[in-house]
Amino acid sequence: MNQELDYAEMLEIPVSTVNVVKKKSFFKRRQKTEPQPEELKERVVESVNERVGAYVYSEDVSDPPKPEKTKKKAERAISLKDKTGKVLLFETVAIGLIAVGIFMTNLFMPNSAINNLIGGFTTTTAKKPAEPSYTEFTLAPVVSELSDAEMAVSESGVLSFTAKGSVYPICAGTVSKVYQQDGLYTVEIAHTSTFTSVITGLTTVYNELGTKVASNIPVAYSDGGQEVRVTMYDNGNLLNCFTLTDEVPVWKS
């Protein structure tokens, strides 16, 4: 055992265990408490470690990065960055040249193919939704159902009555004109950009220019002292393609 401990001390390494062999003594002595083999082993290990030092130091034995590899990676990253910058610069220059070309084409060749193409896209994008035809509107009576007015329609398409009471729009729209002549009012209502109606012979008008009106809300009033006329136009042409059914105007099929 002494040889093993001496060897451990020479190598300056800590030990964790030893083999302890206790020889029997020829002379038996009575002792109060004799140390057991395990206890002897611990004492020996502690003694050796105290002399050798029970600390183990570790070092990073991994290979450090080689300067050449690090340099190559840095050069590769710089090269990639330069390429990206060149591509962005090229794209910016190309966009600028295209913009200049379009501007010059618009300036000197307004009827060129590229201008017509771009104009077609612009026109398509800005195109307004189609307006309904006048025949798609449902016509409403111009007097109340409780009125005693007798309605009449001429062959040319003039709807007329003479009675006291409220006057209603023939269908929903926006007041586009209001004017007075000989003490009586005339109101024009635009239903679309082309379809309009005109009511004449009114004593009072309830709505101002630009007001939206509905067919179930009165737009004017007549005191019954004169004839009230209602006409409808499409693109300035007087419409006569309707008839009366129970005092209600209805489009002819």
Side-chain angles (χ1 to χ4, degrees):
M1 181 180 70
N2 291 334
Q3 291 179 355
E4 294 177 359
L5 295 178
D6 293 339
Y7 184 70
E9 292 178 357
M10 290 174 62
L11 296 178
E12 295 184 354
I13 58 175
V15 296
S16 59
T17 183
V18 295
N19 294 326
V20 178
V21 180
K22 185 178 180 182
K23 295 182 180 181
K24 295 182 178 181
S25 175
F26 291 102
F27 302 98
K28 294 182 180 180
R29 298 179 181 178
R30 296 182 63 182
Q31 298 180 358
K32 293 181 180 180
T33 303
E34 294 183 356
Q36 299 298 319
E38 294 297 328
E39 185 179 354
L40 290 174
K41 289 166 61 178
E42 292 178 1
R43 291 181 182 179
V44 172
V45 170
E46 290 178 0
S47 176
V48 172
N49 288 339
E50 286 179 359
R51 285 181 288 175
V52 174
Y55 299 97
V56 178
Y57 298 94
S58 61
E59 296 181 359
D60 185 6
V61 295
S62 60
D63 296 335
K66 295 182 179 180
E68 294 182 358
K69 292 184 177 180
T70 304
K71 184 177 180 182
K72 289 182 179 180
K73 289 182 179 180
E75 291 177 351
R76 191 180 300 112
I78 294 173
S79 176
L80 180 61
K81 184 177 180 180
D82 291 342
K83 290 180 179 179
T84 304
K86 291 179 180 179
V87 171
L88 293 176
L89 179 61
F90 176 77
E91 292 178 351
T92 303
V93 172
I95 293 172
L97 292 175
I98 293 173
V100 172
I102 293 174
F103 174 77
M104 298 300 291
T105 303
N106 290 335
L107 185 62
F108 296 104
M109 294 183 292
N111 296 323
S112 63
I114 186 170
N115 285 341
N116 293 333
L117 179 62
I118 295 174
F121 283 125
T122 305
T123 303
T124 303
T125 304
K127 188 177 181 180
K128 295 181 179 180
E131 290 183 321
S133 171
Y134 64 88
T135 55
E136 296 180 40
F137 287 86
T138 300
L139 302 180
V142 295
V143 294
S144 171
E145 296 178 355
L146 303 177
S147 175
D148 295 331
E150 294 182 1
M151 305 296 298
V153 59
S154 67
E155 293 182 357
S156 60
V158 178
L159 183 66
S160 62
F161 69 93
T162 302
K164 183 179 180 179
S166 297
V167 183
Y168 295 78
I170 202 163
C171 55
T174 303
V175 176
S176 56
K177 289 182 181 179
V178 177
Y179 56 90
Q180 186 182 25
Q181 185 177 3
D182 298 331
L184 298 175
Y185 287 93
T186 297
V187 59
E188 180 181 297
I189 301 173
H191 309 290
T192 67
S193 61
T194 59
F195 176 42
T196 60
S197 62
V198 179
I199 308 174
T200 63
L202 301 170
T203 305
T204 306
V205 175
Y206 298 144
N207 302 97
E208 298 178 351
L209 184 68
T211 305
K212 291 185 178 181
V213 295
S215 61
N216 60 343
I217 299 177
V219 70
Y221 175 79
S222 173
D223 61 4
Q226 61 284 327
E227 184 180 54
V228 177
R229 295 185 176 185
V230 181
T231 51
M232 292 181 287
Y233 300 86
D234 183 53
N235 279 322
N237 299 318
L238 181 63
L239 298 175
N240 61 352
C241 52
F242 66 95
T243 186
L244 286 175
T245 303
D246 296 332
E247 306 298 324
V248 179
V250 179
W251 298 114
K252 294 179 181 179
S253 56

